[in-house]
Each structure stands twice: as C-alpha cells, then as structure tokens.
Amino acid sequence: MNIEGKVADAGRYMKGYYNCEEANGKIPYAVLARNSCENVLKYIENNNFIHDIDFEREFEYCLSEITCIIYKWTKSDGIFRKYKERIQIRKLDSRMERLAELYMRALLMLTDHFGI
C-alpha cells in the first residue's frame, strides 16, 4: 500500500475513534489507528527525506503508551472492573489526542516534502 492509503486509513480510524460513544467500541479504533500511524511512522523513518529524530521518538513513545493503556484495559478485572476500565479510557482519550497532534505534524511533513 502506498503512503496515501496509509495516511487515509489512519485518519479514518482516528475519526471513528472520536465519533464512537461507547467505551468498548473505542478500543478497536484505537488499535487500528495505532497500527496505521505506526505504518506512517515507519514510512517516515525508512525514507531519508524527513529526518527529525525528536519527532520520531515522540511519535514512537506515544504509540507505545497507547499500547500499554490498551493492555491495561484488557487486563482490568475483579470487583472494580468498570472503574478500572473508565480510568484507562480517560487515559486513552488523552493519548489519542496527542496521537492526533503528532499525526497532523506528520501530514505537514509529508505534504511539505511532496509539495502538495
């Protein structure tokens, strides 16, 4: 798949995440958005036209935090399960906002490079 498809997929999944009102429905969109953004990041890293190490590390860190939050959400059990899930969803919301900001920066980098 070319970079245009990867970028479009990431945007579509992030939009689906923010439009989803049910907490349990947000998790699949978060996973798909994370995977798509990871593909965009790999494209940026593998092509030497953009070389901003700080941006790349910040992007990777945000993606890893989202992975950890999703893992904690799936492992919440016991008497306080609903409470633990709500805490993780709130954390996930804030991380997804950060991911959206980084995604927009990546789009700006790509559009500057391709002259769009």
Side-chain angles (χ1 to χ4, degrees):
M1 179 184 293
N2 55 11
I3 188 62
E4 294 88 7
K6 293 174 185 180
V7 169
D9 285 346
R12 188 177 320 114
Y13 296 138
M14 278 195 244
K15 183 179 178 183
Y17 177 86
Y18 289 111
N19 289 337
C20 189
E21 294 178 7
E22 183 182 330
N24 291 342
K26 288 184 174 187
I27 299 299
Y29 284 115
V31 171
L32 292 169
R34 187 194 68 78
N35 291 342
S36 296
C37 285
E38 187 174 19
N39 289 336
V40 171
L41 178 64
K42 285 180 184 175
Y43 180 83
I44 290 172
E45 289 176 342
N46 291 338
N47 295 311
N48 292 330
F49 58 85
I50 302 171
H51 198 65
D52 187 356
I53 297 294
D54 293 335
F55 171 73
E56 292 172 6
R57 297 300 161 236
E58 188 177 355
F59 208 151
E60 285 179 357
Y61 182 71
C62 184
L63 293 173
S64 65
E65 280 185 328
I66 289 172
T67 302
C68 291
I69 290 169
I70 292 170
Y71 178 75
K72 288 178 184 177
W73 182 86
T74 59
K75 294 299 178 186
S76 62
D77 59 353
I79 193 164
F80 297 111
R81 179 180 181 157
K82 294 294 180 188
Y83 177 72
K84 291 177 184 176
E85 286 178 350
R86 281 193 301 266
I87 290 172
Q88 297 307 320
I89 291 295
R90 280 190 224 120
K91 288 180 183 178
L92 185 61
D93 286 342
S94 68
R95 286 295 109 202
M96 288 297 288
E97 285 179 23
R98 183 69 186 138
L99 182 63
E101 292 172 7
L102 293 169
Y103 171 73
M104 291 299 168
R105 282 180 51 196
L107 282 179
L108 286 173
M109 288 179 180
L110 290 171
T111 55
D112 285 345
H113 171 70
F114 290 118
I116 299 173

